[in-house]
Amino acid sequence: MTVLQELIIENERQMQNFGQKLAAFLSKGDLVLLNGPLGAGKTTMTRGIGKGLQATGTIQSPTFVLARTHQTPTAPLVHVDAYRLGSAVELDDLDIDFERSIVVVEWPRDFTQGLSDDWLEIEISRDRDSDSRMLRIKGHGKWQERELDIDPGN
Ligand code: ADP
Ligand code: MG
């Protein structure tokens, strides 16, 4: 595991921009785990990733459907909410083709790690008295040899 980047995100727009720029690095087989409390900005970042990948449809919290697939010119974007997933068996039931897709998981669990050889873990922490979020991006697999220096703009 390598820490690829740490940065401060000041507002919702920057969170989207970050996701949009991250999308340029993503290709099939990539798995992105988004860790952070309710309201941290996991769905907001995923919306940016979707924008960057030119995904079809609206990206919203997939809480009730557990997973939603959006077509993109790069690879299908599968947006998973693992909050209600009870086990690896239930995840398996979703029949996600990790090798051919770009998979983004909100509320990752121990059984959502390592489903792909190459994965990113993004920790989003909230600041107590401002809108700022702290991002820490950790890389596994091929990501350990990569450099990430994303500027979220302003
Ligand atoms: P999660 O999916 O982690 O529960 P959402 O992305 O659905 O979070 O919601 C994040 C909320 O926080 C949105 O209402 C957004 O407007 C607000 N917000 C305020 N500041 C930020 C920020 N810096 N980054 C992301 N979202 C922010
Ligand atoms: Mg969400």
Side-chain angles (χ1 to χ4, degrees):
M1 186 277 285
T2 309
V3 177
L4 299 173
Q5 189 177 2
E6 289 181 304
L7 73 161
I8 305 281
I9 295 290
E10 307 280 359
N11 52 47
E12 183 173 5
R13 190 181 59 252
Q14 282 195 334
M15 188 64 95
Q16 271 227 34
N17 285 345
F18 176 86
Q20 194 175 340
K21 290 185 177 178
L22 178 66
F25 295 86
L26 300 175
S27 56
K28 69 179 165 55
D30 278 322
L31 171 65
V32 182
L33 304 182
L34 299 182
N35 257 306
L38 188 68
K42 302 181 292 297
T43 302
T44 302
M45 190 191 293
T46 309
R47 214 166 271 140
I49 293 173
K51 195 173 172 202
L53 289 172
Q54 299 173 262
T56 58
T58 306
I59 295 190
Q60 54 194 34
S61 264
T63 308
F64 298 104
V65 290
L66 302 175
R68 198 176 270 124
T69 302
H70 303 268
Q71 297 310 319
T72 90
T74 310
L77 171 64
V78 183
H79 183 197
V80 180
D81 188 322
Y83 191 76
R84 282 186 174 69
L85 273 181
S87 64
V89 175
E90 280 182 41
L91 175 67
D92 200 51
D93 276 348
L94 296 177
D95 235 351
I96 296 167
D97 189 342
F98 287 92
E99 279 177 27
R100 288 201 182 80
S101 314
I102 295 168
V103 182
V104 176
V105 181
E106 295 193 37
W107 300 107
R109 315 275 294 277
D110 47 1
F111 57 82
T112 53
Q113 295 196 359
L115 290 163
S116 224
D117 296 335
D118 305 310
W119 45 293
L120 286 174
E121 232 181 314
I122 304 184
E123 281 170 27
I124 311 173
S125 26
R126 292 181 74 157
D127 189 66
R128 212 150 43 103
D129 22 51
S130 79
D131 277 347
S132 293
R133 311 289 197 255
M134 247 283 289
L135 298 189
R136 172 181 282 143
I137 300 102
K138 298 190 270 185
H140 301 258
K142 74 173 184 196
W143 288 98
Q144 296 186 98
E145 279 85 57
R146 292 216 171 166
E147 277 183 38
L148 210 58
D149 185 16
I150 294 176
D151 175 1
N154 45 39

